[in-house]
Amino acid sequence: MAVNPQGVAAVLADLKGRDFLSCADFTAEQTVALLELSRQLKSGDRRIDLGNRVLGLIFSKASTRTRVSFQVAMARLGGQTVDLNPQVTQLGRGEPLQDTARVLSRFCDVIAVRTFAQQELLDYAHWASIPVLNALTDLEHPCQAMADFLTMQEDLGSLTGQTLAYVGDGNNVSHSLMLCGALLGVNVRIGCPQGFEPLPEVIDQARNLAVADARIEVMTDPVDAVRGAQALYTDVWASMGQEKEQSQREAAFRGFCLNEDLLAQADPNAIVLHCLPAHRGEEISSGVMEGAASRIFDQAENRLHVQQALLAAVLGGL
Ligand code: CP
Ligand code: NVA
């Protein structure tokens, strides 16, 4: 699906004031238009000044890329960011979310939340009167998926009909890849050990959203998953909050390392993606991470461009 440049602003006008809690919140057309605006912002074809708007960051988990890319994106839009970590606000001392969200809505123009339960994010969205953005929950990482598909698009041109194979844990990142991929007409194959599949309701949701006959498949053989794929992707085996399961997960995921042998089964021009942070020698080999197929650092950079586009859209700055 293509959006002509004049059409981007018209399509994205509907996102003014909206939350972004899940990849499924936006339509296929809006998702394509956000990628196009991201491309324009990255290339310098488009500059946007929102005029001193303020983004609040409520992060209950560690972050390098998401935090800094949001901060820089807001600065490039002429705005600023305030750090509202629970450790430094009254949230950490038990002030109720419904009070915090309403108070912050009087100071800020938009909030990005990184937390554990998706329900907590939904509660912020319910109580806040400003847009709330998902900066990662245990269920989804939608800003990440947008950056991932921008990276894939940069290499492959059209995304429709391409195949992305994700090898590893059926986690938040895999969920957003399935949903966003479905909207963009990308076939998404998840290769994971039995017992570590994505949630069945998210698989069903992605299949229901799929455009252009995109196939959403889950399989237990990593070689089957990557065969002929145009993009290979992996993420950590133990996500934030699962640190105690690290050794048990290392045993369960043996054979699911994205290494040279797996890469050899993919399309000869396949690219390699990882949301980072990475554990070399666990979910990805050092050689693949640093190899010619890796687009991992372009992917990290693209977090900035898609979040700048997202902020501009929800703040109505187009
Ligand atoms: N990929 C990602 O979200 O990285 P951070 O945890 O550093 O934000
Ligand atoms: N699945 C990982 C992604 C980190 C960006 C986690 O939730 O920790």
Side-chain angles (χ1 to χ4, degrees):
M1 186 190 303
V3 179
N4 67 48
Q6 294 77 12
V8 167
V11 172
L12 296 181
D14 286 342
L15 299 188
K16 182 178 179 185
R18 291 273 303 276
D19 300 318
F20 187 47
L21 311 177
S22 161
C23 286
D25 286 350
F26 295 165
T27 64
E29 191 183 24
Q30 289 163 343
T31 304
V32 169
L34 265 180
L35 289 189
E36 172 56 19
L37 180 60
S38 308
R39 188 198 66 72
Q40 293 171 9
L41 288 164
K42 181 174 184 176
S43 68
D45 289 351
R46 187 79 201 269
R47 285 180 205 285
I48 299 173
D49 189 341
L50 294 176
N52 206 23
R53 312 292 285 278
V54 177
L55 165 68
L57 295 176
I58 305 176
F59 277 40
S60 301
K61 292 175 174 173
S63 171
T64 298
R65 279 145 290 273
T66 310
R67 174 184 296 283
V68 178
S69 55
F70 263 122
Q71 287 171 324
V72 175
M74 208 56 195
R76 288 194 180 182
L77 291 166
Q80 50 188 301
T81 316
V82 287
D83 197 343
L84 303 164
N85 266 346
Q87 294 96 312
V88 297
T89 64
Q90 299 285 10
L91 271 172
R93 295 179 59 251
E95 183 167 9
L97 181 159
Q98 59 264 43
D99 298 348
T100 306
R102 281 179 288 180
V103 170
L104 294 178
S105 299
R106 306 292 180 104
F107 300 143
C108 300
D109 299 289
V110 52
I111 314 175
V113 180
R114 169 169 286 203
T115 192
F116 293 86
Q118 182 78 5
Q119 185 58 50
E120 189 179 319
L121 181 76
L122 300 180
D123 291 343
Y124 272 110
H126 174 78
W127 288 104
S129 53
I130 55 177
V132 173
L133 311 178
N134 183 345
L136 181 146
T137 61
D138 290 347
L139 186 70
E140 271 207 59
H141 198 0
C143 296
Q144 179 71 56
M146 294 289 297
D148 303 337
F149 286 107
L150 177 63
T151 314
M152 213 173 141
Q153 186 174 271
E154 287 172 339
D155 238 85
L156 302 169
S158 168
L159 289 169
T160 312
Q162 308 280 6
T163 297
L164 175 131
Y166 172 98
V167 176
D169 187 24
N171 62 13
N172 44 8
V173 168
S174 79
H175 289 158
S176 290
L177 287 171
M178 289 193 300
L179 294 169
C180 196
L183 289 171
L184 292 166
V186 177
N187 303 312
V188 180
R189 290 191 211 136
I190 309 290
C192 58
Q194 218 169 5
F196 295 92
E197 295 90 353
L199 290 174
E201 57 268 32
V202 181
I203 300 170
D204 287 347
Q205 191 184 12
R207 287 180 177 152
N208 288 333
L209 287 174
V211 304
D213 297 323
R215 288 189 309 278
I216 308 298
E217 297 170 294
V218 180
M219 49 200 81
T220 51
D221 184 341
V223 177
D224 285 345
V226 304
R227 195 169 283 127
Q230 284 77 37
L232 306 190
Y233 197 121
T234 191
D235 181 19
V236 292
W237 292 337
S239 285
M240 289 181 276
Q242 298 173 331
E243 289 79 4
K244 287 198 181 112
E245 300 171 26
Q246 178 67 31
S247 56
Q248 171 209 332
R249 283 171 170 267
E250 277 176 32
F253 283 92
R254 208 160 285 135
F256 286 78
C257 175
L258 180 43
N259 58 18
E260 288 75 357
D261 291 344
L262 266 192
L263 181 56
Q265 303 296 322
D267 183 285
N269 296 316
I271 62 167
V272 169
L273 302 172
H274 189 309
C275 56
L276 300 176
H279 298 94
R280 289 169 172 80
E282 285 183 32
E283 77 275 3
I284 190 165
S285 71
S286 187
V288 168
M289 175 131 184
E290 303 293 347
S294 172
R295 299 291 180 275
I296 291 171
F297 296 98
D298 296 322
Q299 179 187 5
E301 177 189 331
N302 285 337
R303 298 296 306 280
L304 166 63
H305 307 300
V306 300
Q307 284 157 211
Q308 197 178 339
L310 175 66
L311 286 164
V314 300
L315 289 170
L318 300 174

